[in-house]
Amino acid sequence: MVVWSVIHFFLSTELLKRLPLVGEFFIIDAVLMIVGAVVLFVGFRLLYLPVLVLDWANYLLLTESRIYPAPVLGFPLPAINSYVIGTFILDVIIVILTTLAYITARKSKTS
């Protein structure tokens, strides 16, 4: 999640010049992902589900915005590039790992 955030902080610097709203969204989202990483690292199980929802939302937003008009912008984002592919792969890994952490935490709670 921290690597994902670094990529988005990097991308936000250019986006702030051309699409300020998107650049600001990237910054806020990157901060939320760092908070999510801290939640998982510290093991604050109460917030595992919100972190999982955030991860799924990021994955679905990335996937959806390449096909349909991106929310707020009204048009699909540019075609696939190396950042999109890298972020997509990270999103899938993050969703899988967060889901496993959530399931494991629930199982250990009931045991």
Side-chain angles (χ1 to χ4, degrees), residues 23-34:
E24 291 166 1
F25 171 78
F26 273 34
I27 291 170
I28 291 168
D29 203 24
V31 169
L32 287 174
M33 288 294 273
I34 290 172

Side-chain angles (χ1 to χ4, degrees), residues 1-110:
M1 292 172 87
V2 173
V3 171
W4 189 99
S5 294
V6 169
I7 291 170
H8 281 73
F9 277 129
F10 173 75
L11 293 173
S12 71
T13 57
E14 280 301 312
L15 284 170
L16 285 171
K17 298 172 191 170
R18 293 180 291 145
L19 295 168
L21 186 62
V22 176
E24 291 166 1
F25 171 78
F26 273 34
I27 291 170
I28 291 168
D29 203 24
V31 169
L32 287 174
M33 288 294 273
I34 290 172
V35 170
V38 170
V39 164
L40 293 174
F41 183 74
V42 171
F44 190 41
R45 295 178 181 175
L46 184 63
L47 294 179
Y48 279 14
L49 184 58
V51 171
L52 183 58
V53 170
L54 172 67
D55 295 340
W56 269 103
N58 280 322
Y59 166 76
L60 292 173
L61 184 60
L62 176 69
T63 306
E64 180 268 342
S65 64
R66 297 293 173 245
I67 300 167
Y68 300 108
V72 180
L73 295 178
F75 56 88
L77 294 176
I80 313 280
N81 59 36
S82 60
Y83 294 113
V84 172
I85 293 169
T87 301
F88 180 79
I89 292 168
L90 283 174
D91 277 341
V92 170
I93 292 168
I94 290 168
V95 165
I96 291 169
L97 293 177
T98 306
T99 302
L100 289 173
Y102 176 71
I103 291 170
T104 303
R106 284 189 54 118
K107 283 185 180 180
S108 68
K109 182 179 177 183
T110 60

